[in-house]
């Protein structure tokens, strides 16, 4: 195990020289707001793998050099969560990322496929996925943990090459590279402002407008507190407590009482802050949610039929080309385009940008504007566009 910054620097130099390496993380995430890194794996093209003992590393600057190097491919599976964790650890925005899961959606497989299934399908390699619930902070690691961690990155380069080989035959190599470049967008790794998000709170349906604002204010306070103290949200304030304070708010600060999920001790320390949050919600002091105000044309009687029509065309086009429809967008994405079709701005609809526009976005927009037509291909028995 790599336990020093000097050894980490040597491993990074080997990775930079290799030009492409697999990267993965193992972490524990049960009593903290942020995942606690236990192990970081590097897999080299020769199938050699090295494990970094994350808690022992005090200076992550060598790893930052690797993650931000534009000439070295970093290969991950289901990359977003790992990249977010690594960005927090080393501070560097990632460059030149290849996501084997997402890219699989371009070559006839699901863009949500598991690593073990992808390896079995493309490389005939079978993984023993027996350590998914391991304690990755315990030391020493067991032999089975080490084997599990190494196998997650041992075949990364081979897997990328096999996917790209299939993509090149299908003429989709450029599309995959276009998609992978999205991982270089800095906003992916920035924490969102809790004031601008509706918190996820169980049993929060059927609220009045003012109750929703109180819930937002309490949720935002909880989020800030959880981040600051690196605690799970429920350790700061439970969903049950938020619902109680939202639906039956105290009339005065003195009326704040202990609740399920709000202990007497916690209330003593946070009484003023909780009261300020409740008052903030009552007084309507929070900014509007980004999507709170309707933009563009409003739904009409026929818009759901147009959405179904657009989804059928998109799904048929994807099935005929063996591309996972999930890569194009979900129902909400399609609905937004349907409602905005007459004056759609590519900056606001990712289906009208990059490879998606080339593949089906432009045709879909034309159909929604009454241009062209859709018919059933008698060979594929799937919907297709006709100009």
């Amino acid at each position: 195990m790599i336990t020093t910054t000097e050894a980490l620097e040597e491993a990074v130099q080997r990775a930079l020289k290799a030009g492409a390496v697999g990267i993965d993380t193992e972490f524990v995430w049960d009593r903290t707001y942020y995942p606690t890194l236990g192990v970081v794996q590097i897999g080299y093209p020769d199938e050699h793998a090295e494990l970094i003992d994350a808690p022992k590393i005090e200076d992550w600057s060598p790893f930052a050099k690797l993650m931000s190097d534009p000439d070295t491919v970093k290969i991950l599976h289901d990359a977003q969560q790992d990249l977010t964790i690594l960005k927090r650890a080393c501070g560097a925005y990632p460059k030149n990322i290849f996501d084997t899961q997402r890219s699989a959606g371009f070559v006839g497989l699901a863009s949500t496929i598991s690593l073990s299934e992808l390896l079995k399908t493309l490389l005939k390699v079978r993984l023993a996925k027996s350590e998914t619930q391991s304690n990755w902070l315990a030391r020493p690691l067991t032999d089975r943990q080490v084997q599990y961690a190494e196998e997650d990155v041992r075949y990364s380069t081979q897997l990328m090459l096999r996917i790209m080989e299939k993509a090149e035959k299908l003429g989709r190599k450029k599309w995959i590279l276009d998609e992978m470049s999205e991982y270089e967008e800095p906003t992916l790794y920035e924490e969102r402002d809790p004031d601008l998000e509706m918190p996820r709170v169980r049993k929060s349906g059927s609220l009045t407008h003012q109750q929703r604002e109180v819930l937002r204010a309490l949720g935002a306070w909880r989020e800030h507190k959880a981040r600051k103290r690196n605690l799970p949200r429920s350790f700061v304030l439970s969903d049950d407590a938020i619902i109680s304070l939202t639906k039956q708010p105290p009339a005065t600060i003195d009326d704040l009482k202990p609740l399920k999920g709000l202990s007497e001790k916690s209330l003593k320390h946070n009484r003023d802050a909780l009261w300020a949050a409740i008052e903030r919600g009552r007084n309507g002091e929070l900014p509007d949610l980004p999507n709170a105000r309707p933009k563009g044309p409003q739904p009409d009687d026929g818009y759901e039929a147009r959405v179904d029509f657009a989804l059928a065309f998109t799904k048929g086009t994807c099935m005929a080309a063996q591309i996972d429809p999930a890569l194009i967008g979900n129902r909400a994405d399609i609905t937004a385009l349907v409602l905005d079709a007459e004056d759609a701005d590519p900056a606001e609809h990712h289906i009208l940008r990059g490879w998606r526009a080339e593949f089906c976005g432009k045709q879909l927009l034309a159909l929604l504007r009454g241009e062209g037509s859709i018919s059933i291909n008698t060979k594929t028995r799937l919907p297709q566009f006709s100009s």
Side-chain angles (χ1 to χ4, degrees):
M1 290 258 283
I2 294 169
T3 60
T4 67
T5 300
E6 291 75 21
L8 179 59
E9 175 66 43
E10 292 174 4
V12 166
Q13 289 303 319
R14 288 191 288 274
L16 296 174
K17 186 176 180 180
V21 288
I23 300 288
D24 192 27
T25 68
E26 306 298 345
F27 52 85
V28 174
W29 199 2
D30 53 6
R31 300 180 67 84
T32 57
Y33 180 89
Y34 300 103
T36 303
L37 262 180
V39 176
V40 178
Q41 304 101 293
I42 302 178
Y44 300 88
D46 62 359
E47 296 187 12
H48 172 64
E50 293 185 305
L51 307 186
I52 302 168
D53 191 349
K56 292 285 184 67
I57 303 300
E58 296 181 357
D59 180 4
W60 283 89
S61 59
F63 200 80
K65 186 191 309 178
L66 171 61
M67 293 305 295
S68 62
D69 182 66
D71 299 320
T72 304
V73 186
K74 277 71 67 177
I75 309 160
L76 300 93
H77 189 83
D78 192 9
Q80 187 60 65
Q81 184 177 64
D82 286 328
L83 290 176
T84 300
I85 294 170
L86 291 170
K87 164 61 174 64
R88 180 172 171 77
C90 73
Y93 289 103
K95 299 286 185 183
N96 204 345
I97 299 301
F98 188 91
D99 186 339
T100 51
Q101 183 185 65
R102 195 155 185 80
S103 61
F106 289 85
V107 294
L109 301 169
S111 60
T112 55
I113 191 171
S114 69
L115 178 60
S116 58
E117 188 64 26
L118 186 58
L119 284 168
K120 183 173 69 175
T121 301
L122 294 186
L123 298 181
K124 310 305 179 188
V125 170
R126 295 181 181 272
L127 299 186
K129 304 300 287 184
S130 58
E131 300 297 319
T132 54
Q133 302 302 317
S134 283
N135 180 0
W136 292 99
L137 298 177
R139 295 294 183 269
L141 295 178
T142 66
D143 290 343
R144 291 178 69 178
Q145 282 180 306
V146 171
Q147 180 183 359
Y148 173 95
E150 290 180 343
E151 286 188 342
D152 272 355
V153 294
R154 192 183 300 283
Y155 310 103
S156 297
T157 305
Q158 291 183 43
L159 196 54
M160 177 186 70
L161 293 175
R162 181 62 58 85
I163 291 170
M164 291 305 275
E165 177 185 317
K166 293 174 73 68
E168 190 153 18
K169 289 180 180 178
L170 294 168
R172 296 173 192 165
K173 185 175 179 180
K174 185 179 180 300
W175 291 3
I176 291 180
L177 295 177
D178 185 12
E179 186 75 358
M180 296 302 111
S181 68
E182 293 188 8
Y183 286 116
E184 299 184 14
E185 174 54 53
T187 57
L188 287 176
Y189 310 99
E190 296 173 1
E191 289 188 315
R192 297 178 180 178
D193 183 350
D195 281 359
L196 299 176
E197 296 213 312
M198 192 68 192
R200 295 181 181 178
V201 178
R202 296 189 313 274
K203 303 177 184 177
S204 61
S206 304
L207 298 178
T208 66
H209 174 73
Q210 185 179 75
Q211 287 174 335
R212 280 173 57 86
E213 291 301 289
V214 171
L215 181 133
R216 283 183 61 198
L218 287 168
W221 172 80
R222 179 176 71 171
E223 196 75 8
H224 282 298
K225 188 83 170 180
R227 289 177 185 177
K228 184 177 180 179
R229 298 189 62 195
N230 195 21
L231 291 173
R233 296 176 186 88
S234 61
F235 283 30
V236 175
L237 188 67
S238 72
D239 283 1
D240 288 337
I242 288 182
I243 292 299
S244 294
L245 293 171
T246 294
K247 292 189 173 181
Q248 298 176 323
T252 69
I253 188 171
D254 293 329
D255 293 332
L256 274 169
K257 305 296 181 185
L259 299 164
K260 181 181 178 181
L262 176 60
S263 67
E264 187 171 349
K265 181 180 178 181
S266 179
L267 178 58
K268 180 180 178 180
H269 286 96
N270 299 302
R271 182 183 296 273
D272 290 343
L274 286 169
W275 178 249
I278 292 169
E279 285 288 271
R280 189 178 180 222
R282 275 179 175 155
N283 298 331
E285 296 174 9
L286 282 86
D288 290 332
L289 293 172
N291 299 320
R293 292 180 177 175
K295 297 180 179 179
Q298 298 303 295
D300 55 75
D301 292 341
Y303 94 96
E304 288 187 351
R306 298 198 302 279
V307 170
D308 291 338
F309 169 82
L311 286 168
F313 167 72
T314 303
K315 184 175 181 180
T317 304
C318 287
M319 289 180 68
Q322 293 189 307
I323 284 182
D324 187 350
L327 289 171
I328 303 302
N330 55 28
R331 188 180 185 92
D333 296 324
I334 297 297
T335 299
L337 181 60
V338 166
L339 294 176
D340 202 24
E342 291 305 316
D343 194 28
D345 182 355
E348 296 181 2
H349 301 279
H350 73 296
I351 195 172
L352 301 180
R353 302 192 302 269
W355 72 268
R356 290 178 178 83
E358 179 184 342
F359 174 60
C360 70
K362 293 178 181 178
Q363 292 179 348
L364 177 56
L365 187 61
L367 289 170
L368 293 172
R369 290 175 172 174
E371 303 163 6
S373 61
I374 188 171
S375 61
I376 299 298
N377 184 309
T378 55
K379 292 183 179 180
T380 66
R381 303 183 66 82
L382 294 168
Q384 68 178 10
F385 178 82
S386 301
S387 57

